[in-house]
Amino acid sequence: MNENEKENDYNVKLKFFGVPKLIPYIKPYIPMILFMAFLGVLGSFIDSVYPLFNRYALDNFVAGKTLKHLTGFIILYVLVVLLQVIINFVAGYFGGKVEMSVDRDLRNAAFNHLQELSFAYFNQNNVGYIHARVMSDTGKIGVMVAWRLMDIVWNGAYIVSVFVMMLILNVRMALYIIVLVPIAAVTVMFFQKKLIVLNRKIREINSKITSNFNEGITGAKAIKTLVVEDRIQKEFEEETLKYRKTSVYATHNSAFFASAITMLSTFALALVLWKGGAMTIEGVLQLGTLSVFLTYALEMMEPIQNVIVTFADLISVQVNVERFTKLMETESDVSDSPEVIEKYGDTFNPKKENWEPLYGDVEFKDVSFKYPDGDEMVLEHFNLKVPQGTNIAIVGETGAGKSTLVNLVCRFFKPTEGYVLIDGRDAAERSQLWLHSNIGYVLQTPHLFSGTVRDNLKYGKPDATDEEIMRALDIVSARSVVEKMPKGLDSDVGEDGDMLSTGEKQLLSFARAILADPRILVLDEATASIDTVTEKAIQDAIKTVTKGRTSFVIAHRLSTVVDADVILVVKDGKIIERGSHKELMDQKGYYYDLFTRQFEEMSISSVLEGET
């Protein structure tokens, strides 16, 4: 979250611009919400009626000194209590159902929408921000729809019912209490505004403390090797000191707020006792009626406070509503046209019966490209034909922009100008899912999902047999990795594969891609995390699996791409050289310098290892 967004979070005013955009998610539950509102009105009316039972008891059983109609009184009272219990239970049941249902629908919608967004969105928004949109914001909206609106209805109806009851019983006494309402409202609003700001500051500081705490654990090795324990400790102590001071100040304000409300309630009670007592002595007011006003005087301040606090919560939740709707209104930089969706289906409803086979011919036709968050062209009028089965290597130093071409082939980004053709047709004329289903992608940093080895490999091919899985493992020399695990294919890999080494995760990730039998294979520094012995085995495997497939190999280690059909040399995001290994070496240009420098470094490293 940027600083402007934080500032808006503190000072936002109540408005309802984002609420209509929630209607599609709330609409299925409107009957339940209306039923809850009805129960709220009925329940608040019963709450306001309870003091009337005391009035009847005092005027008839105490003052009248008779127990006549006592049985009927008890039965009626018990029935009213039972009705109130039923109302509370039913309202609570439906409130919980509405909250969880709206929460679920919002989260599903947000998560599904994220699946359809391009890489540009994830490049421009960090994980914590996106996570908060899907989990925190939706949760608060669910609470608002189910409970905050219910609170306003229940407390608002109670206040109205009490005012009506008091005016019916005695206008003069009613006005004594009603005159205190504006004072109570102003007091609540004053303190509530301060408490909202303080509580948000506390949450912000707490987030920083949590972040520092996580960094202290996950970065323990770096902290020790850099010898910055004292600096990290000082930063942590500074944040906890801020948290303590702000929390204590908020607690003081909260305590003063509670005392002010108690004082107002006590003042209202004293006023009723003073004026009502005199009227009772004069015979103008019955004792039972005085007890009703005493009860209302004590209880009136709490619902007034609740209504104002609830409105403050609505102001706070409004920020969450705006963030959620902003996410849902974010359009992907890369999306299928309505015509493509009509023919090929979308991400979640594919029409595979209309999918054509993909052969692997790729062509860049007058392609110019700049990243959505960038100003400079990375490619300008670039042309390249990649026939089916061609092995393209993309090389360059770290950060040179080697992934750009692959991102365009995979339609993770779309060309700023020109076209990327797949099998002679513009890639935009067919489904993204169709294309992605025919691409095997092995990342430099492998990712495994929580679950077993078998589960992870089947992401490549859901209906794969164990024989097919083992064959894929053999191709990438990964059978030994699985065989040494306690349960073989049924072994749990842990969260993000943390029960395996990086090299082992890379091997399984490679096997998963091979299992899918892709027509286009992308290897993004795929051997960077693997030892040299395994790397040699994988290089042999690559030669086997790339036959008949179009392959793009992004590599920093140039010794792994000498057999490529075409090598593209990237520097500062631009392709500055292209050709086979021999052709580029003969040119004695940038590639030649890179290769000879790496060769010398590897030779020196080998000598040093031999001496060791």
Side-chain angles (χ1 to χ4, degrees):
M1 185 190 302
N2 58 44
E3 293 302 320
N4 290 333
E5 193 170 1
K6 289 178 184 176
E7 188 65 27
N8 290 338
D9 198 336
Y10 291 137
N11 299 298
V12 67
K13 297 179 180 179
L14 183 60
K15 51 189 178 184
F16 299 97
F17 297 145
V19 174
K21 298 172 184 176
L22 295 178
I23 296 298
Y25 307 101
I26 301 174
K27 189 175 181 179
Y29 311 105
I30 287 179
M32 278 193 282
I33 295 172
L34 292 176
F35 182 59
M36 288 168 57
F38 167 75
L39 292 177
V41 173
L42 183 59
S44 63
F45 175 75
I46 293 174
D47 284 340
S48 67
V49 165
Y50 278 125
L52 299 181
F53 281 95
N54 296 336
R55 174 176 179 254
Y56 183 87
L58 286 172
D59 290 344
N60 291 274
F61 303 141
V62 177
K65 297 181 181 180
T66 177
L67 296 180
K68 187 178 180 182
H69 305 307
L70 178 61
T71 302
F73 174 85
I74 294 174
I75 292 173
L76 181 60
Y77 187 81
V78 170
L79 289 175
V80 170
V81 170
L82 286 176
L83 178 60
Q84 184 72 312
V85 169
I86 293 171
I87 289 172
N88 290 338
F89 172 79
V90 175
Y93 171 81
F94 281 104
K97 190 172 182 178
V98 169
E99 178 191 353
M100 293 299 105
S101 298
V102 171
D103 194 3
R104 176 202 62 197
D105 292 351
L106 292 175
R107 286 178 179 174
N108 286 343
F111 188 80
N112 289 346
H113 187 63
L114 285 170
Q115 307 308 304
E116 297 175 340
L117 295 180
S118 68
F119 275 15
Y121 180 83
F122 299 96
N123 288 343
Q124 296 167 20
N125 297 278
N126 62 51
V127 174
Y129 179 85
I130 297 172
H131 183 272
R133 300 297 75 77
V134 177
M135 301 303 294
S136 178
D137 288 344
T138 55
K140 290 178 180 178
I141 293 171
V143 170
M144 176 195 73
V145 173
W147 301 112
R148 295 298 168 259
L149 298 179
M150 182 69 170
D151 288 341
I152 289 177
V153 170
W154 195 296
N155 289 290
Y158 178 80
I159 293 170
V160 172
S161 297
V162 167
F163 281 174
V164 172
M165 293 288 186
M166 289 191 299
L167 290 170
I168 291 173
L169 292 173
N170 190 288
V171 174
R172 183 178 166 191
M173 282 298 301
L175 293 176
Y176 286 142
I177 297 178
I178 292 173
V179 76
L180 295 176
V181 171
I183 300 174
V186 170
T187 303
V188 173
M189 286 189 288
F190 173 76
F191 281 103
Q192 189 61 27
K193 185 176 181 180
K194 293 189 67 175
L195 289 174
I196 287 174
V197 174
L198 288 171
N199 286 330
R200 287 176 180 165
K201 286 182 178 178
I202 289 170
R203 289 200 299 270
E204 182 183 337
I205 297 170
N206 189 54
S207 296
K208 291 181 180 178
I209 292 174
T210 303
S211 177
N212 289 345
F213 186 74
N214 289 338
E215 285 186 354
I217 295 174
T218 58
K221 185 180 290 186
I223 291 170
K224 291 184 180 297
T225 54
L226 293 172
V227 197
V228 291
E229 290 92 342
D230 56 340
R231 177 179 171 183
I232 298 298
Q233 177 65 18
K234 184 179 179 181
E235 290 175 356
F236 190 81
E237 287 181 351
E238 287 175 354
E239 292 300 330
T240 54
L241 181 60
K242 287 181 187 176
Y243 183 83
R244 174 186 173 277
K245 288 181 177 179
T246 309
S247 297
V248 169
Y249 184 56
T251 302
H252 289 168
N253 275 271
S254 181
F256 196 74
F257 172 44
S259 300
I261 294 300
T262 301
M263 183 183 70
L264 282 172
S265 297
T266 304
F267 186 76
L269 182 64
L271 184 63
V272 171
L273 283 172
W274 174 34
K275 295 294 184 180
M279 292 172 67
T280 303
I281 292 172
E282 295 171 1
V284 178
L285 196 70
Q286 290 184 309
L287 182 63
T289 304
L290 176 62
S291 74
V292 172
F293 277 96
L294 289 173
T295 302
Y296 287 156
L298 281 173
E299 295 181 352
M300 271 291 292
M301 298 305 164
E302 183 178 351
I304 292 171
Q305 176 185 342
N306 289 341
V307 168
I308 295 173
V309 168
T310 302
F311 269 106
D313 286 343
L314 290 178
I315 293 173
S316 177
V317 173
Q318 176 183 285
V319 176
N320 305 108
V321 173
E322 291 175 355
R323 289 174 182 163
F324 172 79
T325 54
K326 182 180 177 182
L327 167 61
M328 297 305 296
E329 290 173 351
T330 300
E331 295 183 359
S332 177
D333 294 285
V334 182
S335 59
D336 292 333
S337 66
E339 294 78 16
V340 169
I341 294 174
E342 177 66 26
K343 181 176 180 180
Y344 297 102
D346 59 21
T347 303
F348 303 105
N349 301 285
K351 298 178 181 178
K352 294 187 177 182
E353 64 275 10
N354 295 332
W355 288 8
E356 300 93 345
L358 189 150
Y359 299 102
D361 289 322
V362 178
E363 181 181 355
F364 292 84
K365 192 171 183 179
D366 197 31
V367 171
S368 296
F369 174 74
K370 66 178 178 180
Y371 284 98
D373 54 348
D375 298 321
E376 186 178 347
M377 284 291 184
V378 177
L379 294 175
E380 289 186 88
H381 305 292
F382 176 72
N383 293 277
L384 176 69
K385 286 188 176 183
V386 183
Q388 175 187 346
T390 303
N391 184 353
I392 301 290
I394 307 172
V395 303
E397 294 184 334
T398 302
K402 298 187 292 294
S403 298
T404 300
L405 288 179
V406 168
N407 287 335
L408 290 170
V409 171
C410 297
R411 281 195 74 196
F412 295 150
F413 296 93
K414 64 180 180 181
T416 306
E417 296 176 8
Y419 306 93
V420 176
L421 307 181
I422 304 294
D423 293 343
R425 288 178 58 186
D426 184 358
E429 294 179 2
R430 286 187 279 193
S431 164
Q432 290 183 75
L433 190 61
W434 165 81
L435 178 59
H436 295 163
S437 297
N438 285 284
I439 293 177
Y441 205 125
V442 183
L443 298 165
Q444 178 180 359
T445 304
H447 177 79
L448 295 183
F449 299 92
S450 298
T452 66
V453 174
R454 180 184 284 104
D455 293 338
N456 270 278
L457 295 180
K458 281 194 170 186
Y459 276 105
K461 185 180 180 182
D463 58 349
T465 64
D466 284 359
E467 290 75 16
E468 291 174 316
I469 290 174
M470 298 309 296
R471 193 179 307 121
L473 290 169
D474 285 335
I475 291 174
V476 299
S477 303
R479 179 186 281 263
S480 59
V481 173
V482 177
E483 288 181 341
K484 73 179 183 181
M485 298 180 76
K487 296 181 180 179
L489 292 174
D490 293 317
S491 300
D492 192 358
V493 301
E495 185 177 356
D496 193 24
D498 59 7
M499 298 180 70
L500 301 169
S501 69
T502 303
E504 290 171 334
K505 288 196 291 184
Q506 187 65 287
L507 286 170
L508 293 182
S509 179
F510 198 96
R512 180 171 60 196
I514 297 301
L515 187 62
D517 191 24
R519 305 315 304 159
I520 298 175
L521 184 63
V522 178
L523 306 179
D524 187 353
E525 300 277 12
T527 61
S529 304
I530 298 173
D531 60 82
T532 53
V533 176
T534 307
E535 181 185 2
K536 178 62 172 64
I538 287 185
Q539 289 302 322
D540 293 337
I542 289 174
K543 293 178 182 179
T544 301
V545 299
T546 55
K547 288 180 179 178
R549 290 187 176 91
T550 304
S551 58
F552 292 85
V553 181
I554 300 172
H556 175 72
R557 205 176 300 170
L558 302 184
S559 59
T560 63
V561 300
V562 294
D563 294 326
D565 297 317
V566 178
I567 299 174
L568 302 177
V569 184
V570 181
K571 182 182 180 183
D572 298 328
K574 311 283 187 180
I575 295 174
I576 59 172
E577 295 176 357
R578 70 171 79 179
S580 66
H581 172 70
K582 184 178 184 307
E583 290 170 345
L584 293 174
M585 291 299 289
D586 290 342
Q587 291 177 17
K588 295 193 176 183
Y590 186 74
Y591 177 82
Y592 175 86
D593 292 338
L594 281 179
F595 189 85
T596 52
R597 191 190 318 149
Q598 281 195 11
F599 183 77
E600 290 171 359
E601 291 172 354
M602 291 174 62
S603 299
I604 293 171
S605 178
S606 299
V607 171
L608 292 175
E609 288 178 2
E611 291 178 354
T612 304

